[in-house]
Amino acid sequence: LQFSLYEPPTIFGQLGLFSGCAPFTLQLSDSIQSNPFTRHFWQFGDGNTSDSVSPVHTYTSPGTYDVLHVMWSDTGCVDSVWAFYPAAVTVLPSPEAILEVDKQEASIYKPFFTFRDSSMSNIVFQRTTMGDGTIYENQQTWVHAYTDTGNYRVVHLVENSSGCLDSLTFFLRVKPVFKVFAPTAFRPDGNGLNEEFRIYGSGWKKMELRIFSRWGEQVFFTIDGSKGWNGRWQNSGETVPEGVYTWQFKAEGEEGEVEERFGTVMLMR
């Protein structure tokens, strides 16, 4: 004669108290001694249930919640047991980080951004990192000026009276301004002053400069922004005659845009 011996379902210990900021995830471990045929039912107090041995449940709303655990078996020792845990879970309200900014991009000539903190839910501390090493704390409104072009990562962190945190992140852009300045004349006479013609400016990452004679002949070409024309054929050949020459400047900006400029320069001897 063979038979199986099953112990009745038993719940050991207490569930304990849990607390956290919304949304709060509760993970219940298996504190149950049972045979393979034991069934479970959990009620979390917010209208949700589970039949898992070790359920995971997320509370989305602040409040205090009772938890009910029922266990039963329908094989072997037919029995049931239950445990009720009043106010077992407390979910604290979380703040909402809100930071308003007057624009998303600005030029380097006017790199000013105005910020306003409109965060909600009893804020007691606020910190904003601007992406350039600057930090503002507990400011309602402020104006920040960046000193260089680029993309800046702004992180806004808030904490409320419950000790709960929230944050948001966004990027701001400070754009270079495409600017070109070209002299109207130069004299390569060896005195160290005004010896070459070159283009000055900002806002580009690639460039090319071409210079033509009055007959359309190209006398100079470069893609080096630091290199100018010294009045010789391609800077190393014969000197070219005094006169008016036409220049063509083409550049690619920081964001891939292409700009062209044209003009004339007087070569004096």
Side-chain angles (χ1 to χ4, degrees), residues 102-119:
D102 62 335
K103 51 185 171 292
Q104 297 299 313
E105 62 181 30
S107 76
I108 188 58
Y109 290 121
K110 293 183 178 180
F112 305 101
F113 295 85
T114 300
F115 297 85
R116 178 180 176 82
D117 176 31
S118 300
S119 302

Side-chain angles (χ1 to χ4, degrees), residues 17 34 88 142 162:
L17 299 178
S34 61
W142 68 94
S162 300

